[in-house]
Amino acid sequence: IGYPDFVEDDGVLYISETDKKTARLHVIDPSLVQGLMDQHVLASLALRGLAYGASPPPPSFISPTWGNITAGDSFTVELVFDWPTVTVEGTTETLLNCSSGA
């Protein structure tokens, strides 16, 4: 694939690809573009495509199917902590301390 580029036409974003004989345009999902543009202001969890979620988390759970990475499948792991501390087995452990007295 040579000479990739982004193309915008009438509010739709595409990625282009070419080789010596063929040129192709691939539509980029508008929700992906919107998510990229909004990521610095979002304060919520990504729930679309969620394989597993629990609140509070159980001590153990059955692992979801991760797909076949060698065939091009992928997955994302998102962790959320009760910032800046998290309770572990009844005790509070500090994850980050930025105070000068630490």
Side-chain angles (χ1 to χ4, degrees):
I1 298 175
Y3 308 106
D5 203 356
F6 290 100
V7 178
E8 187 269 332
D9 181 47
D10 202 19
V12 179
L13 190 61
Y14 302 86
I15 294 178
S16 68
E17 64 167 300
T18 60
D19 59 28
K20 294 185 188 251
K21 297 181 181 180
T22 308
R24 296 179 185 91
L25 288 176
H26 306 279
V27 177
I28 300 175
D29 183 341
S31 66
L32 175 63
V33 176
Q34 193 63 49
L36 289 171
M37 299 308 233
D38 292 343
Q39 65 182 334
H40 66 286
V41 295
L42 291 177
S44 61
L45 299 176
L47 299 176
R48 192 177 80 178
L50 183 66
Y52 179 81
S55 182
S60 65
F61 65 94
I62 297 172
S63 176
T65 302
W66 299 111
N68 185 346
I69 296 173
T70 59
D73 292 345
S74 62
F75 64 89
T76 300
V77 175
E78 181 174 347
L79 301 173
V80 178
F81 297 102
D82 183 8
W83 202 255
T85 60
V86 64
T87 301
V88 178
E89 297 178 12
T91 64
T92 302
E93 300 293 330
T94 301
L95 297 176
L96 177 66
N97 187 339
C98 296
S99 66
S100 60

